[in-house]
């Protein structure tokens, strides 16, 4: 019987003390407005889990969704020229 085994070392090293690189921190910083907008939307949606939505609640969720879409648009436009960013059509 032949056993199939890997002949290579693992592709990614597993390390518990690995810190983010400068490029990863820069990417997080660029995405921070989007992250904040998504957190705001999630907060508005969580507030509606246990009660019916009032008109004020609906407006809050609608504004939060608009902020998320605007942040995604801004991020896509800003990273279009950055290497590793979205491709320009």
């Amino acid at each position: 019987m032949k056993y199939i085994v890997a002949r290579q070392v693992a592709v990614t090293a597993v390390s518990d003390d690995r810190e983010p690189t400068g490029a990863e921190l820069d990417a997080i910083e660029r995405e921070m407005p989007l992250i904040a907008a998504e957190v705001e939307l999630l907060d508005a949606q969580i507030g509606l889990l246990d009660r019916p939505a009032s008109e004020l609640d609906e407006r809050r969720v609608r504004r939060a969704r608009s902020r998320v879409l605007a942040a995604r648009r801004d991020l896509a436009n800003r990273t279009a020229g950055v290497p590793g960013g979205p491709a320009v059509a």
Side-chain angles (χ1 to χ4, degrees):
M1 173 185 285
K2 291 188 176 181
Y3 293 97
I4 301 173
V5 294
R7 295 184 183 210
Q8 295 178 319
V9 180
V11 176
T12 56
V14 177
S15 175
D16 293 335
D17 61 351
R18 184 178 173 269
E19 294 184 13
T21 64
E24 290 170 333
L25 290 173
D26 290 341
I28 292 169
E29 188 67 31
R30 276 193 310 271
E31 294 175 10
M32 206 56 192
L34 175 59
I35 293 168
E38 289 175 337
V39 167
E40 184 179 343
L41 175 60
L42 186 60
D43 185 45
Q45 291 171 333
I46 288 172
L48 297 175
L49 287 177
D50 60 346
R51 62 186 169 88
S54 68
E55 186 177 330
L56 184 63
D57 293 328
E58 290 173 1
R59 274 191 260 156
R60 182 178 178 212
V61 170
R62 208 170 34 246
R63 278 193 300 260
R65 283 186 182 141
S66 295
R67 286 186 189 109
V68 168
L69 291 174
R72 284 181 183 168
R73 179 199 61 219
D74 294 344
L75 181 63
N77 288 339
R78 198 171 339 131
T79 59
V82 176
V88 178

